[in-house]
Amino acid sequence: MATDPTVVGGEFIGPDGPVELQGAPTRVRLSGAAADAGTGRRLWEVSEALTGVSFPVTAS
């Protein structure tokens, strides 16, 4: 499903089972924590530090 051409930016794919822990892929809602800009920025910074790979981030 994640490669389905009908999936657009901003949509999220996850399991359809109880509490989205297992199951078939389906569109799921984004949690508030996942949408937090500060958390995303920190995750990006830590990922760059741990991998040694840096990518420029551009606003979309």
Side-chain angles (χ1 to χ4, degrees):
M1 171 151 222
T3 59
D4 184 323
T6 66
V7 175
V8 297
E11 288 186 318
F12 296 87
I13 307 302
D16 67 357
V19 291
E20 297 176 0
L21 292 177
Q22 61 183 18
T26 190
R27 286 174 175 85
V28 296
R29 293 182 58 189
L30 179 64
S31 72
D36 182 73
T39 300
R41 187 171 29 262
R42 181 71 181 130
L43 174 60
W44 191 266
E45 292 166 355
V46 170
S47 298
E48 286 184 329
L50 291 173
T51 63
V53 178
S54 181
F55 290 98
V57 177
T58 58
S60 52

